[in-house]
Amino acid sequence: MVRLPISSLFLCSISGAFIRGPLNLALPSRPFVTGRDVRVASRRGGEMSAEGMARSKVVHLVRHGQAQHNPRAEKARNAGCDTPTFLELMRQDDAFDAALTPTGLEQAAGASQHSIRGVELIVASSLSRAIDTADIIFPPGEQTATRVSRDEFREISGWLLNAKRRTRSELSGRNPSWDFSGLHSEEDGLWTPDLEGEAACAERAYLGLRWLWDRPEHHAAVVAHGGVWAFLLGAPGHPNVRAAPSMAARFRNCELRSCRLSLLSPGDGGEGRPVFAIDPVDAAEEDGAILNGVALDANAATV
């Protein structure tokens, strides 16, 4: 197998997931990039071949900080409550476009103390708790990266008001450093009184990966939510995404995991759609250039 150097792409997203079992997957015999390749490419100014860029990118998945609807429900879930009880507690503590709690703000501030170098693109879902987390971890005054918000990385939508976003105009007014032109509509056309299906949520996140793959930046950060990453990476996950078990495990608030996003097939995933692999990257190989497994609060999680 040939190894080509590639610059790293950082995908930051806040996530929660369930364990996916081992996959018996025969990888194509094509170049891929190791953590050491990324480090060397970064020290050479990020130069890489077009062929290498098209096949593998190093990304970061990050989960947002604790939000208003989480504390009681998460405490009950950690104590072993059933799903109906968990959802009922979230419903009781529900809030439109739920904001970060003081704990969530502290988690994000703690994560911001860890250096992630070379970020060119910062992506967040269009819910305020993801945008605010991204701005705390990557302060606009200190980071020159382009900031883009996308509906594809939203939490599973519907039923609860914490999953409903503000209008595009209001989001732009509240967050002037962000580009909201990619949102599908001025109003929130995704939210309905009925809860979105898990498969539909996973498909939406998969389309977000495709959008990210087509972006020109080599380094990015994407901040999203527990549920959306659970349905994309966990069991059963999306049929066109092959996530390593360590990447599919449940994320804690403001936990960051380094991974390699690879294109396994450009169009063999049913209906000619691309198939992606998401595998862990060893942070030690990166000489500190990539931060892996940052978690500020293991007991506070979000949906």
Side-chain angles (χ1 to χ4, degrees):
M1 181 176 290
V2 180
R3 287 204 282 174
L4 295 179
I6 183 171
S7 298
S8 41
L9 166 74
F10 295 94
L11 169 66
C12 235
S13 90
I14 299 171
S15 320
F18 304 100
I19 298 291
R20 174 194 290 276
L23 292 170
N24 295 319
L25 180 66
L27 300 180
S29 72
R30 58 180 59 195
F32 70 95
V33 179
T34 67
R36 183 170 288 104
D37 292 330
V38 174
R39 183 184 67 216
V40 171
S42 297
R43 289 176 174 171
R44 292 177 179 173
E47 296 180 359
M48 54 188 278
S49 70
E51 182 182 29
M53 284 173 42
R55 296 203 169 148
S56 180
K57 300 177 179 181
V58 174
V59 304
H60 290 284
L61 307 181
V62 180
R63 184 183 185 179
H64 69 78
Q66 184 194 75
Q68 290 172 283
H69 59 297
N70 299 138
R72 287 202 306 153
E74 292 297 338
K75 182 177 180 180
R77 180 164 67 178
N78 291 338
C81 78
D82 58 18
T83 298
T85 300
F86 172 72
L87 293 175
E88 174 59 20
L89 287 171
M90 280 209 303
R91 187 195 66 79
Q92 292 176 16
D93 297 337
D94 199 17
F96 170 65
D97 188 25
L100 296 174
T101 64
T103 295
L105 292 170
E106 291 177 4
Q107 291 166 344
S112 71
Q113 302 304 308
H114 300 272
S115 176
I116 301 176
R117 301 195 294 270
V119 178
E120 297 175 294
L121 174 68
I122 299 171
V123 183
S125 95
S126 53
L127 295 174
S128 294
R129 56 190 181 273
I131 297 169
D132 292 344
T133 297
D135 276 344
I136 295 171
I137 296 177
F138 306 99
E142 301 175 12
Q143 300 277 347
T144 60
T146 300
R147 295 168 190 264
V148 181
S149 181
R150 300 289 299 190
D151 277 330
E152 289 90 337
F153 294 107
R154 288 238 319 255
E155 183 56 290
I156 186 169
S157 190
W159 189 52
L160 295 171
L161 289 175
N162 66 71
K164 189 172 186 178
R165 72 161 168 85
R166 300 174 188 273
T167 65
R168 185 163 52 197
S169 297
E170 185 177 1
L171 285 169
S172 296
R174 289 165 59 99
N175 306 280
S177 63
W178 286 81
D179 177 6
F180 295 96
S181 62
L183 301 189
H184 300 308
S185 59
E186 167 68 14
E187 303 291 335
D188 184 357
L190 181 61
W191 192 93
T192 70
D194 298 319
L195 189 64
E196 181 182 22
E198 294 180 6
C201 183
E203 171 66 14
R204 180 159 52 79
Y206 167 74
L207 294 177
L209 284 185
R210 292 186 62 174
W211 170 84
L212 187 65
W213 186 260
D214 290 337
R215 291 284 305 192
E217 293 88 357
H218 306 157
H219 301 233
V222 180
V223 182
H225 306 262
V228 69
W229 293 107
F231 304 133
L232 179 70
L233 305 175
H238 193 281
N240 290 10
V241 176
R242 314 287 192 257
S246 61
M247 300 308 302
R250 187 173 182 79
F251 278 62
R252 294 162 288 180
N253 288 114
C254 284
E255 181 179 1
L256 183 152
R257 297 178 187 174
S258 306
C259 71
R260 181 183 300 111
L261 176 66
S262 304
L263 182 65
L264 295 182
S265 169
D268 295 340
E271 301 180 357
R273 305 205 303 167
V275 177
F276 296 106
I278 297 180
D279 298 297
V281 169
D282 184 356
E285 293 182 357
E286 297 308 310
D287 227 12
I290 291 178
L291 176 67
N292 194 27
V294 175
L296 277 285
D297 185 353
N299 295 317
T302 20
V303 168

